[in-house]
Amino acid sequence: MKLNERGLLVVLSGPSGVGKGTVRKALFDMPDQNLKYSVSMTTRKKRPGEVDGKDYYFVSREEFEKRLEEGKFLEHAEFVGNYYGTPLDKVEDDLQAGNEVILEIEVEGALQVRNKVKDAVLIFLVPPKREALYQRLRSRGTESEEVIQERIKKADREFKLAYKYDYIVVNDEVANAADRIMAIIRAEHAKTERSIHNYLKLIEED
C-alpha cells in the first residue's frame, strides 16, 4: 500500500557529460515504474537524433523570455548563450496524479528547485573519475574546443556543490546507477514526514 499518494519530484543533476540522459533512459526502461519525464525547454539548436517534445521543447529566445516573464518555469538557467528551463504546469499536474516526476537538469537549475520545492529529492550524479567526464565531453563531437573547455571549468565548480544535494550516485555502470536511484525513490516514499498524515488517517479508520 502506498501511503504517500502525491508523486515525488526527483531532480537528477550533475555536471554536463556525466551521463544524466543515459541513466534517465535506463530508469524509464525498468519494469513496474511510475515515472514521468519532465521535458525541459531550451533555446539551443537540436543535436543529431534529438526530437522536439521528447528530448527538449526547442523554442526561440523570444518565446522563452516571454514565458520567463510570465513565471511559467519551475527553474531556468542560461549557459553558453542558451536558456534551459522546466515548464511548471506540467510538473504539478503529474505530481498531483501520483507520478514520480524526473527532472534531468543542470546544477544551477537544481539549486533553484531546492529553494522553491522543499520536499524535492535532489540526486547528484558523478563519474567514477573526473577524467572520464572530460573524455565523454570530447567524444561527443558536437561542440567546439572552446565550449568543451567552458564545460570542463563549469564541471570543476559544480563538483564542489554536491553537499547541497540529498544523495550522490556514482555512474560507474548505467544499470547500477539506475538501480540506486530507484531504491532512493522507494525509500523516500517511506519517510515518516511524507506518509504520517495518511498513516494516521488509516489507523483511525480501523
Side-chain angles (χ1 to χ4, degrees):
M1 180 181 178
K2 188 177 176 182
L3 288 173
N4 181 31
E5 295 174 356
R6 180 177 167 86
L8 296 178
L9 180 59
V10 180
V11 178
L12 181 59
S13 184
S16 179
V18 78
K20 296 186 290 294
T22 306
V23 172
R24 185 253 303 168
K25 287 172 184 171
L27 277 170
F28 279 77
D29 286 340
M30 296 176 80
D32 303 320
Q33 45 84 4
N34 188 33
L35 307 175
K36 289 283 186 179
Y37 175 52
S38 173
V39 179
S40 294
M41 190 170 285
T42 183
T43 59
R44 78 157 170 77
K45 287 183 167 49
K46 277 194 289 186
R47 291 175 183 152
E50 288 183 328
V51 178
D52 186 35
K54 181 181 177 183
D55 297 290
Y56 284 96
Y57 295 112
F58 295 95
V59 299
S60 67
R61 191 174 185 87
E62 291 74 23
E63 183 177 347
F64 194 104
E65 289 178 342
K66 181 174 181 292
R67 288 171 179 265
L68 192 58
E69 288 174 10
E70 294 170 351
K72 291 184 176 180
F73 289 107
L74 174 62
E75 56 78 31
H76 77 281
E78 186 176 9
F79 180 63
V80 195
N82 291 306
Y83 282 122
Y84 298 82
T86 300
L88 181 60
D89 52 354
K90 182 62 176 169
V91 169
E92 187 56 35
D93 288 346
D94 283 332
L95 291 174
Q96 290 291 355
N99 297 309
E100 325 295 3
V101 178
I102 307 295
L103 267 62
E104 177 201 325
I105 56 178
E106 298 294 321
V107 171
E108 182 183 342
L111 299 184
Q112 289 179 42
V113 174
R114 167 99 299 162
N115 290 332
K116 290 181 181 177
V117 186
K118 298 304 180 186
D119 64 348
V121 180
L122 269 62
I123 299 172
F124 193 73
L125 195 66
V126 297
K129 291 185 178 179
R130 196 181 302 188
E131 189 57 37
L133 181 75
Y134 301 159
Q135 289 174 357
R136 184 182 174 94
L137 286 170
R138 288 198 166 90
S139 68
R140 282 177 174 175
T142 58
E143 295 169 329
S144 68
E145 182 62 25
E146 183 182 356
V147 170
I148 290 168
Q149 286 301 321
E150 263 191 84
R151 290 192 183 277
I152 287 173
K153 289 176 185 175
K154 183 167 176 273
D156 285 340
R157 294 193 301 270
E158 289 171 342
F159 282 129
K160 298 172 184 176
L161 297 172
Y163 74 95
K164 292 180 178 284
Y165 288 70
D166 300 303
Y167 300 92
I168 297 174
V169 171
V170 179
N171 186 17
D172 47 3
E173 295 286 342
V174 172
N176 290 343
D179 282 342
R180 291 169 192 141
I181 291 168
M182 193 58 75
I184 288 168
I185 291 171
R186 294 190 185 108
E188 281 288 329
H189 268 295
K191 272 191 171 179
T192 302
E193 63 196 67
R194 295 188 192 275
S195 59
I196 189 65
H197 179 69
N198 284 338
Y199 171 70
L200 292 176
K201 281 171 58 179
L202 180 69
I203 61 173
E204 284 170 5
E205 289 171 4
D206 291 345

